[in-house]
């Protein structure tokens, strides 16, 4: 006799709602060169035109990044590579990266961030310095996304609080007024809707009208998510995972973002002016796993380009 009776999904179970379908429309997803290489064909997983961010981790050669961008763009997707300020040596290096991306993969979008290293490798220490070079506008970039932190960031505000994060966001709001590129705030992931909604409302109240693309962790093992959450400084909503870890009936099951996305989707449907415009997935449990979850839950919005 089984001690734990875990229910399995059946084909009759319908998880799509109109609210979820609308909220997942135009979602984006993040890959790395090594994870992208495991995907035989993105068209079998992602809707046509999906924005695919390519994370640039310290030590990854720019050639690998460009090769990945070229491959994904050739399959019909909008590529948005990371530009981590602290691993870019100088303005000449940045200009060379932009030229390589554009010359080989026709890249016109980029995510600006400080990067995950403690000490800068060269002249840049934050994303504002990258934007201030003017190189992205000079190259005709159509989109420049910036990082957002719904639960703060101890790297930017070591003593706690959000004063430095808030000041940086105001600078970027001002930059958005003088740049030809469209901007959006792509955020760190969180696991609970209430802190996200409170933060997003605060961004709007502060006079920042840059649309928000909310970061969501895709399906993954609970231990994997807790490890990434601690490493990335996820704060208040981490208790959602901790509570789940104490429930033996859920401990062995993979985490899925159904609850947080359902709450956000319902809030958006009830408040159309809400400033979260899109969902950005961090596929911590794998790209295929994340894409398949979206296909099962997103209705027409998440159907792959090639069935």
């Amino acid at each position: 006799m089984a001690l734990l009776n875990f229910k399995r999904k059946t084909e009759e179970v319908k998880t799509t709602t109109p609210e979820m379908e609308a909220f997942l429309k135009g979602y984006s997803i993040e890959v790395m060169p090594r994870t992208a290489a495991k995907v035989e064909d993105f068209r079998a997983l992602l809707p046509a035109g999906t924005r695919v961010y390519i994370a640039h981790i310290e030590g990854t050669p720019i050639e690998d990044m460009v090769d990945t961008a070229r491959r994904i763009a050739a399959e019909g997707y909008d590529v948005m590579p990371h530009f981590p300020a602290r691993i870019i040596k100088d303005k000449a290096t940045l200009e060379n990266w932009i030229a390589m991306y554009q010359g080989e993969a026709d890249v016109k979008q980029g995510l600006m961030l400080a990067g995950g290293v403690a000490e800068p490798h060269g002249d840049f220490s934050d994303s504002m310095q990258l934007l201030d070079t003017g190189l992205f506008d000079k190259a005709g970039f159509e989109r420049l996304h910036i990082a957002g932190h719904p639960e703060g960031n101890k790297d930017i505000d070591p003593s706690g609080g959000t004063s430095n994060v808030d000041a940086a966001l105001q600078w970027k709001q001002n930059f958005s007024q003088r740049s030809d590129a469209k901007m959006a705030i792509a955020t760190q992931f969180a696991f609970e809707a209430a802190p996200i909604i409170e933060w997003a409302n605060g961004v709007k109240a502060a006079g920042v009208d840059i649309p928000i693309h909310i970061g969501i962790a895709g399906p993954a093992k609970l231990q994997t998510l807790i490890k990434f959450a601690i490493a990335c400084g996820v704060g208040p909503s981490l208790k959602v995972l901790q509570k789940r870890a104490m429930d033996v009936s859920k401990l062995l099951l993979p985490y899925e973002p159904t609850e947080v996305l359902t709450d956000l989707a319902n809030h958006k449907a009830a408040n159309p002016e809400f400033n979260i415009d899109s969902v950005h997935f961090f596929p911590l449990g794998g790209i295929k796993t994340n894409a398949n979850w979206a296909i099962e839950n997103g209705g027409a919005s998440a159907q792959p380009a090639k069935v």
Side-chain angles (χ1 to χ4, degrees), residues 66 70 95-107:
V66 173
R70 181 174 58 246
E95 193 163 22
N96 181 53
W97 284 19
I98 291 172
M100 291 176 68
Y101 277 125
Q102 292 201 316
E104 300 186 40
D106 195 28
V107 169

Side-chain angles (χ1 to χ4, degrees), residues 16-298:
T16 304
T17 65
E19 294 81 7
M20 183 74 86
E21 184 172 334
F23 198 60
L24 288 183
K25 186 175 183 179
Y27 80 80
S28 59
I29 195 165
E30 188 158 305
V31 305
M32 293 181 286
R34 63 177 178 81
T35 59
K38 298 177 182 178
V39 177
E40 184 176 343
D41 189 340
F42 279 91
R43 292 168 292 187
L45 296 174
L46 304 179
T50 298
R51 179 175 297 111
V52 180
Y53 291 63
I54 307 177
H56 196 152
I57 308 302
E58 182 184 21
T60 304
I62 184 61
E63 292 79 10
D64 291 357
M65 293 289 297
V66 173
D67 286 346
T68 303
R70 181 174 58 246
R71 175 261 170 116
I72 295 174
E75 292 181 8
Y77 296 99
D78 293 333
V79 177
M80 178 173 276
H82 288 194
F83 286 88
R86 294 176 187 169
I87 70 170
I88 300 173
K89 183 179 178 181
D90 51 29
K91 187 174 180 179
T93 300
L94 176 59
E95 193 163 22
N96 181 53
W97 284 19
I98 291 172
M100 291 176 68
Y101 277 125
Q102 292 201 316
E104 300 186 40
D106 195 28
V107 169
K108 297 177 182 176
Q109 309 182 26
L111 172 67
M112 310 294 117
L113 68 169
V117 299
E119 296 296 328
H121 291 190
D123 296 341
F124 302 116
S125 60
D126 60 56
S127 60
M128 293 175 286
Q129 293 170 332
L130 295 181
L131 293 170
D132 219 18
T133 64
L135 291 175
F136 295 99
D137 283 316
K138 180 182 176 182
F141 269 53
E142 297 172 355
R143 277 193 165 272
L144 296 172
H145 289 190
I146 56 176
H149 309 281
E151 299 182 355
N153 186 304
K154 287 293 183 68
D155 181 43
I156 302 173
D157 286 285
S159 59
T162 62
S163 57
N164 293 337
V165 169
D166 294 343
L169 195 52
Q170 287 294 336
W171 186 96
K172 293 164 187 175
Q173 168 69 20
N174 292 335
F175 176 85
S176 73
Q177 306 302 317
R178 62 180 190 268
S179 173
D180 293 330
K182 293 181 180 179
M183 295 185 68
I185 302 169
T187 80
Q188 183 56 275
F189 56 85
F191 300 100
E192 190 175 23
I196 293 172
I197 293 169
E198 181 180 0
W199 172 79
N201 288 339
V203 168
K204 188 173 184 178
V208 176
D209 62 8
I210 302 172
I212 295 170
H213 294 190
I214 190 65
I216 296 292
K221 293 179 180 179
L222 191 58
Q223 299 93 322
T224 300
L225 284 184
I226 292 174
K227 180 185 72 174
F228 275 105
I230 293 172
C232 295
V234 172
S237 70
L238 180 59
K239 66 179 181 289
V240 173
L241 298 185
Q242 293 168 332
K243 182 179 179 180
R244 185 184 179 94
M246 295 174 66
D247 186 341
V248 69
S249 68
K250 296 180 179 179
L251 184 60
L252 302 181
L253 295 175
Y255 165 88
E256 294 185 349
T258 311
E259 184 174 346
V260 62
L261 283 174
T262 296
D263 290 346
L264 290 172
N266 291 341
H267 185 80
K268 179 71 174 182
N271 303 273
E273 75 287 352
F274 186 49
N275 52 343
I276 291 182
D277 277 9
S278 188
V279 172
H280 175 60
F281 281 115
F282 293 87
L284 303 181
I287 298 167
K288 293 179 182 179
T289 300
N290 200 142
N292 286 330
W293 181 92
I295 291 167
E296 292 174 6
N297 290 271

